[in-house]
Amino acid sequence: MDQELIARSMRDLAREFDSCRDLLVALGNENRQLIFMALLESHGGARVGELAERVGLSHPATSHHLKVLREAGLVESYRVGTRSFYHASTRLDRWGELARVTSDAERFVRAMVALEARGEGCSRRDVKDVSDREERPDDHDSL
């Protein structure tokens, strides 16, 4: 893989990560993961109070996490009278974006591992050598 192709691949991957940032942030929080899992188990949806009790959070905290999940397109809600019910979103496009970025990142890492195995990439030894040099001051640094 030449340097131009690597740079282009990195730019493409960075754009993909940027387009999925809200998903990654939403799913990167353990409480939101618990809420999302609870929603997957709640056929037909669940109310904030039910979710709060199931995951051990306050009502306001659960509402906040649901808002983040909703803004990321992972959760939807519907109303029945004055009651709001939340459920996992059926927007498969968001899951497709997430699957693509993780697949592309894995493919990029696999290519880097293959380059390293052929002696063409940056090895861990090279990184260690650089960090060792950075830790040792040059002669002129002590002046």
Side-chain angles (χ1 to χ4, degrees):
M1 198 182 273
D2 69 3
Q3 293 301 322
E4 185 179 322
L5 182 57
I6 291 171
R8 188 171 48 247
S9 295
M10 287 294 288
R11 285 191 301 272
D12 291 345
L13 188 58
R15 276 192 294 276
E16 287 181 55
F17 270 111
D18 190 50
S19 73
C20 290
R21 188 168 326 285
D22 60 337
L23 287 170
L24 295 167
V25 167
L27 293 171
N29 179 280
E30 184 178 358
N31 289 322
R32 288 193 283 271
Q33 292 168 16
L34 292 171
I35 291 168
F36 189 78
M37 294 301 295
L39 287 171
L40 290 176
E41 295 169 351
S42 300
H43 304 289
R47 299 186 64 214
V48 175
E50 297 167 41
L51 291 167
E53 187 175 312
R54 286 178 69 182
V55 300
L57 295 173
S58 69
H59 192 286
T62 303
S63 290
H64 166 73
H65 290 304
L66 283 166
K67 178 181 183 234
V68 173
L69 289 165
R70 193 174 54 244
E71 288 173 350
L74 298 173
V75 168
E76 296 172 348
S77 64
Y78 64 92
R79 293 182 74 83
V80 176
T82 60
R83 302 162 96 190
S84 293
F85 292 84
Y86 294 87
H87 61 94
S89 174
T90 56
R91 286 188 54 195
L92 297 178
D93 61 314
R94 296 306 330 247
W95 293 108
E97 289 176 47
L98 191 58
R100 252 187 318 283
V101 73
T102 56
S103 176
D104 290 349
E106 178 190 13
R107 191 172 25 260
F108 191 84
V109 170
R110 285 183 184 278
M112 294 295 103
V113 169
L115 283 173
E116 185 177 317
R118 291 194 310 257
E120 299 175 28
C122 179
S123 70
R124 287 177 197 86
R125 185 183 66 252
D126 295 336
V127 172
K128 183 179 181 334
D129 291 344
V130 168
S131 66
D132 286 347
R133 282 194 302 261
E134 289 173 353
E135 290 176 11
R136 290 187 303 241
D138 291 337
D139 291 334
H140 61 70
D141 287 344
S142 58
L143 296 176

